[in-house]
Amino acid sequence: MKKFSLTLIAIFCSSVASFAQEFQGMAVYESKTSTAEFKARMDGNKDITPEMRKMMEERMKKMFEKTFILNFDKTSSIYKEEEKLEAPGQNAGRMRMMSSMMGGGGTYYKNVKEKTYTVDKEFMGKEFLIVDSLPKLKWKMTGETKKIGDYNCFKATAIKSVDASDFRNARLKKEGEAKKEGEAKKGEEVKKEEASKEKRGGFMMSEFDMPKEIEITAWYTPEIPINQGPEGYWGLPGLILEVNDGKTVIMCSKLVMNSKDKVEIKPSKNGKVVKQKEYDEIVTKKMEEMREQWQTQGGGNRNMIRMGH
């Protein structure tokens, strides 16, 4: 372990010395969230035709497989989903909302010197600007190493609290669990819920469990000695190139240092300023309202609920 520490210090010092006084880098990350549970549930649903399955899998691919760009300097970074042209349609707003809940949309700005972050989110037609303190993860160094591309990387783990508005780690309840909970409700309410579910042919929020915490595995390279990484990840003595975040894997596929084309790294200023907890409460409340509305109206109303001011 002592040999590992000395090696890490040597690499870190060597890398710092080789860096210019001012620099900027760009990293491309591929994010993929597991959809195994959803596909297994579709396999057990005889009402889903091959055409419906194909359409659902295409939508899941758009929501769960994304490409992000991280532009960074010594103290700050912006992390944003790669822009793609989307065909116009009546479900565009709903797809943007779902994309946001699955980690996409908006620009994630981190300032590791000030230990703050700012991210703009659009939810149900209303713009929010989340401004809060960066969560400080208690990283544990494992001593394991591997190469990612041309970079020597070291492994670290941590336990992270899950934001209530981030549904990437939502787990579909087993059918027995959902039935047991349903039996505990009032009879009439259960009938409405089952009827609504049958008419919609989809999943309800009551069918999901959200974990409170998840274990994070990160691989970082001290050859790029900055406190940065994708999304809200930071705090390691080198750029984070890979993160295993519960059901999501974020992997760096391209890295460019000191390009002639510089990017302005600054936070967004659009939207109603809220703390992360406030935003989580708004999202969960509106999702519950949607669930109740679908139950009451049998899934017939496909319009979005207007956000209050």
Side-chain angles (χ1 to χ4, degrees), residues 29 70 77 79 110 226-234 238-241:
Y29 290 88
L70 178 75
S77 67
Y79 183 73
K110 293 197 299 291
I226 60 169
N227 255 347
Q228 291 289 349
E231 291 192 18
Y233 295 108
W234 70 294
L239 179 65
I240 299 171
L241 297 185

Side-chain angles (χ1 to χ4, degrees), residues 26-297:
M26 184 274 289
V28 178
Y29 290 88
E30 307 296 335
S31 172
K32 186 173 183 179
T33 300
S34 172
T35 58
E37 290 181 348
F38 293 93
K39 290 181 178 179
R41 187 67 65 89
M42 283 195 290
D43 289 339
N45 191 334
K46 297 179 181 179
D47 295 329
I48 298 179
T49 65
E51 292 77 14
M52 289 171 62
R53 184 186 179 96
K54 182 180 179 181
M55 179 186 70
M56 292 169 74
E57 287 183 345
E58 287 176 352
R59 289 185 176 179
M60 281 194 292
K61 185 178 177 67
K62 289 182 179 179
M63 285 192 293
F64 292 98
E65 295 183 22
K66 302 175 182 296
T67 300
F68 292 87
I69 308 295
L70 178 75
N71 288 285
F72 57 87
D73 56 28
K74 286 185 177 179
T75 60
S76 57
S77 67
I78 51 174
Y79 183 73
K80 188 173 183 179
E81 185 178 355
E82 184 180 56
E83 294 183 0
K84 295 178 182 178
L85 290 175
E86 296 288 346
Q90 61 180 5
N91 291 323
R94 187 179 294 272
M95 289 301 291
R96 282 197 300 271
M97 180 188 78
M98 293 302 297
S99 177
S100 176
M101 292 165 62
M102 297 301 170
T107 300
Y108 200 118
Y109 170 85
K110 293 197 299 291
N111 188 312
V112 297
K113 185 177 181 180
E114 298 177 357
K115 297 180 175 56
T116 60
Y117 71 95
T118 301
V119 56
D120 55 322
K121 289 281 188 179
E122 180 184 338
F123 183 69
M124 290 184 162
K126 189 175 179 65
E127 292 185 354
F128 294 91
L129 191 66
I130 304 169
V131 181
D132 217 324
S133 299
L134 280 169
K136 188 174 182 180
L137 298 176
K138 295 181 179 179
W139 293 107
K140 293 181 179 179
M141 309 302 185
T142 68
E144 295 180 55
T145 65
K146 74 173 182 179
K147 291 201 77 171
I148 297 179
D150 296 327
Y151 295 91
N152 295 305
C153 296
F154 296 85
K155 182 180 177 181
T157 62
I159 300 298
K160 172 193 170 187
S161 297
V162 177
D163 293 333
S165 59
D166 186 350
F167 286 81
R168 283 173 296 180
N169 285 296
R171 181 184 68 87
L172 276 170
K173 295 177 183 176
K174 295 178 181 179
E175 294 192 29
E177 292 176 322
K179 184 177 179 181
K180 187 176 180 180
E181 290 181 9
E183 289 173 350
K185 297 181 181 180
K186 295 180 180 179
E188 190 61 32
E189 184 180 346
V190 172
K191 289 179 182 179
K192 286 182 180 180
E193 186 168 313
E194 292 300 320
S196 175
K197 176 181 175 182
E198 185 176 350
K199 289 180 182 180
R200 289 198 316 276
F203 305 123
M204 297 178 298
M205 291 303 297
S206 58
E207 293 184 334
F208 292 90
D209 269 337
M210 286 286 287
K212 299 287 185 182
E213 296 178 330
I214 52 175
E215 183 177 11
I216 306 301
T217 299
W219 293 89
Y220 67 95
T221 176
E223 294 169 22
I224 305 177
I226 60 169
N227 255 347
Q228 291 289 349
E231 291 192 18
Y233 295 108
W234 70 294
L236 287 168
L239 179 65
I240 299 171
L241 297 185
E242 181 182 333
V243 176
N244 189 318
D245 177 350
K247 292 168 63 176
T248 300
V249 175
I250 306 172
M251 171 78 77
C252 181
S253 60
K254 181 180 179 180
L255 191 55
V256 178
M257 298 301 299
N258 294 318
S259 171
K260 292 181 180 180
D261 299 324
K262 300 297 182 182
V263 175
E264 190 174 22
I265 299 176
K266 63 179 184 179
S268 175
K269 295 183 179 179
N270 299 323
K272 179 183 178 182
V273 178
V274 293
K275 294 286 189 181
Q276 184 68 57
K277 185 177 180 181
E278 291 177 76
Y279 179 75
D280 291 345
E281 290 172 350
I282 290 168
V283 171
T284 52
K285 180 181 178 181
K286 290 300 175 183
M287 293 302 292
E288 181 63 23
E289 287 179 6
M290 286 178 67
R291 184 181 74 88
E292 292 176 356
Q293 186 182 62
W294 283 339
Q295 289 176 3
T296 303
Q297 301 183 7

